[in-house]
Amino acid sequence: LVLHSPLPPPKETLQVWRVFEELHAEGVVRQLGVSNISIPQLQALFEEATVFPSVVQNRFYRQTDYDRDMRGHDLYPSPTLGPHLIPS
C-alpha cells in the first residue's frame, strides 16, 4: 500500500499512516510505502512510525535534478536507534 504523497500538515500524514499501520497489523497489506516525499517529510514520518516504509517512490525528472538529494541517502531503520537517513 503506497501513500501517494504526504499531506500538507504533517499531522494529517501521520493520521493516514496510522491507518496504514493498522491494515499492516491486521495482515491486510504486507508492505507500506510512500511516494513524492522529501527527506524532511520522510524523517518526520520515521520519527513517529511503528511500521517503516518498505518503498520510497519519487519523481525522476530533470526539473527536480533527478531527485539527487533523495538518491544520496540510504534508508536505514535501526532496531535500537530507530530509522535514519544515512548519506551513501
Side-chain angles (χ1 to χ4, degrees):
L1 183 60
V2 175
L3 176 61
H4 178 67
S5 63
L7 299 161
K11 183 179 180 177
E12 287 185 19
T13 298
L14 185 58
Q15 288 175 333
V16 171
W17 194 257
R18 292 289 183 231
V19 173
F20 279 23
E21 290 176 329
E22 289 175 19
L23 294 171
H24 181 269
E26 294 169 2
V28 175
V29 296
R30 289 191 280 171
Q31 294 180 327
L32 302 178
V34 293
S35 68
N36 307 313
I37 194 165
S38 68
I39 291 174
Q41 292 168 322
L42 192 57
Q43 288 172 323
L45 180 61
F46 274 171
E47 288 174 7
E48 301 291 333
T50 58
V51 178
F52 303 124
S54 300
V55 175
V56 175
Q57 176 187 339
N58 273 4
R59 297 177 184 95
F60 196 73
Y61 299 120
R62 182 175 61 180
Q63 296 90 330
T64 61
D65 198 24
Y66 301 105
D67 232 9
R68 189 175 309 274
D69 60 337
M70 184 69 77
R71 290 184 298 115
H73 290 80
D74 290 326
L75 302 178
Y76 178 70
S78 164
T80 54
L81 301 175
H84 301 281
L85 292 173
I86 308 297
S88 56

